[in-house]
Every structure is written in structure tokens, then in C-alpha cells.
Amino acid sequence: MKIFIDTANLDEIKEAASLGILDGVTTNPSLMAKVGIKGKNAVIKHYEAICKLVEGDISAEVLSTDYENIIKEGEELSKIHPNIVVKVPMIKDGIKAIRYFYDKGIKTNCTLVFSSGQALLAAKAGATYVSPFIGRLDDVSSDGLQLIRDIALIYNNYCFETEILAASIRHPMHIIECAKMGADVITAPLSAIMALLHHPLTDKGLDIFLKDAEKWK
Ligand code: E4P
């Protein structure tokens, strides 16, 4: 399972990358706004900076919602770096654009996916990744993890090559459950990735070992 970090914060990306377990980065317009990125040039520079920090796929989201402009914007984004994956919303023109990008050999991440039907269309269109949003489904009393399970079943039935990129992850158990279900990728905030490290018995055990080691040093 690949681990992506879900942030546009360069310090957080550096910290996750320093662990040696990071396979990529996802961003979205809200995450870019959160780090104060403003204007097209600043956005391009920021993606370039992220690409220098991580050797792996970096999702860059288009802001257009009509076919022609999604294509234009996506092609511009894809020229920033070979690792850029064009993130396209799950809308009618988005699906058409994903097919266009597939034919051109440009990688895509179909975002804002909340149902199996949407995931089926994304795979049919040739998306490289599909991003079901687990946390946002949980927020409205739906079962986000059940969606991952359903998409995995459908994709396995037909050997679709689209990778399931579980997104909108809120805590470490989301990551563990996605791993059990066979999600290809999870994208999570730094806090959820770092939380995987910790167990109170590890801390307690290490403390005892180090204290006992003092006795024979
Ligand atoms: C990533 O691709 C998504 O945009 C992100 O995971 C959404 O997360 P949120 O629901 O916490 O905003």
C-alpha cells in the first residue's frame, strides 16, 4: 500500500518524507489556501517545490469545471513535472477530460468520489487514481469505509487498473481498515500517519529496557 500525505505544507511534507515511507502527495484548493498560496505563479512554484521534496506522484487539482478548460489547465499542470497527476472532479466534463488525458498518457486522480457508481465511471474513463472521501461520508452518517470495500470488489471483478486512493482520512484506524480492504493508496494528514507510530506499550517497554540497560552499562 502506498502512503501519500494530504497537505500543501512543505514542512509537513519534509517531515513525512524524512521517515522514508512517503510515496506521494495530494493537495486540493483548500489545502493550498491554508498555506497562503495565491495566484497562478505561486501555485506553480509551490508544486515545483513539492516535486523536489518527494519522489512520487503529486496530485494537482484543476479549478475549471468545463471540458475545454479542464483540458487546458490539466495540460499546463502536467508540464510542471513528470510526477504531476492532474486531479479532476467527478463531474460529467471531468469524466470526459479523464478519458482525454488517458489517451494522451497524462495521469489523473478523479476526486470528490462518494459512490461506487462514480468510481465505476472513473475507472471506465481510465483514471489513474480514484479518490473516495471516507471522512466526509462518515461526517454525514454514511459508512466511508464501506465505500472502499465496495469499490475494491467492483475493481477486482473486472481487473480495472485504476488505483483506489482512499482520501479524507481522519485518524489511524481509517488507514488500518483501508489496508485490510486492499486500498492501493491512502492519503492522510501528517497527524494520522504519525499516529501509526505510537503504542503506549512500546513507550513503556522502551523505558524499561533503557533503565535496565543502565544496570549493566
Ligand atoms: C485529497 O485528495 C482530498 O482532497 C482530501 O483528502 C480531502 O480531505 P478532507 O475531507 O479532510 O478535506
Side-chain angles (χ1 to χ4, degrees):
M1 185 182 73
K2 288 185 265 187
I3 296 182
F4 289 2
I5 188 166
D6 196 24
T7 185
N9 182 305
L10 297 182
D11 290 333
E12 290 180 1
I13 294 170
K14 272 184 215 156
E15 190 174 342
S18 73
L19 291 176
I21 52 87
L22 193 64
D23 302 297
V25 181
T26 52
T27 63
N28 63 37
S30 307
L31 293 171
M32 293 296 266
K34 206 170 157 187
V35 292
I37 302 300
K38 278 195 187 130
K40 198 174 162 185
N41 287 344
V43 167
I44 291 172
K45 279 204 176 113
H46 203 71
Y47 285 135
E48 284 170 350
I50 294 174
C51 290
K52 277 187 193 142
L53 292 176
V54 179
E55 193 56 54
D57 284 348
I58 314 295
S59 286
E61 190 156 341
V62 298
L63 303 178
S64 305
T65 53
D66 65 286
Y67 178 72
E68 276 76 23
N69 283 309
I70 294 174
I71 299 298
K72 191 166 166 268
E73 215 186 314
E75 286 185 329
E76 280 171 16
L77 288 170
S78 72
K79 283 181 191 135
I80 295 174
H81 191 280
N83 289 347
I84 289 285
V85 175
V86 180
K87 206 171 177 196
V88 181
M90 164 42 78
I91 52 175
K92 192 168 141 195
D93 282 23
I95 284 296
K96 283 164 68 179
I98 286 170
R99 165 55 65 175
Y100 171 91
F101 290 131
Y102 175 78
D103 291 337
K104 293 269 171 188
I106 294 172
K107 286 188 182 184
T108 53
N109 173 356
C110 183
T111 189
L112 290 165
V113 166
F114 294 94
S115 76
S116 306
Q118 291 177 325
L120 179 60
L121 289 182
K124 290 286 293 177
T128 314
Y129 298 104
V130 66
S131 286
F133 278 32
I134 302 176
R136 290 194 198 187
L137 279 169
D138 290 355
D139 289 346
V140 295
S141 306
S142 281
D143 188 347
L145 288 168
Q146 183 59 44
L147 178 59
I148 302 295
R149 203 176 285 116
D150 291 345
I151 297 172
L153 174 68
I154 292 167
Y155 283 13
N156 283 338
N157 281 348
Y158 300 100
C159 300
F160 282 123
E161 287 177 8
T162 300
E163 293 186 43
I164 302 173
L165 195 173
S168 187
I169 280 177
R170 300 282 156 78
H171 51 72
M173 281 315 290
H174 271 156
I175 301 178
I176 302 302
E177 290 303 320
C178 285
K180 281 157 69 176
M181 287 166 196
D184 303 284
V185 192
I186 62 90
T187 189
L190 183 64
S191 56
I193 297 171
M194 294 312 246
L196 294 172
L197 278 171
H198 300 297
H199 196 286
L201 291 180
T202 305
D203 298 340
K204 190 178 167 194
L206 183 61
D207 198 42
I208 292 168
F209 285 158
L210 294 178
K211 279 191 182 124
D212 286 344
E214 286 302 318
K215 297 174 190 163
W216 53 262
K217 255 188 199 170

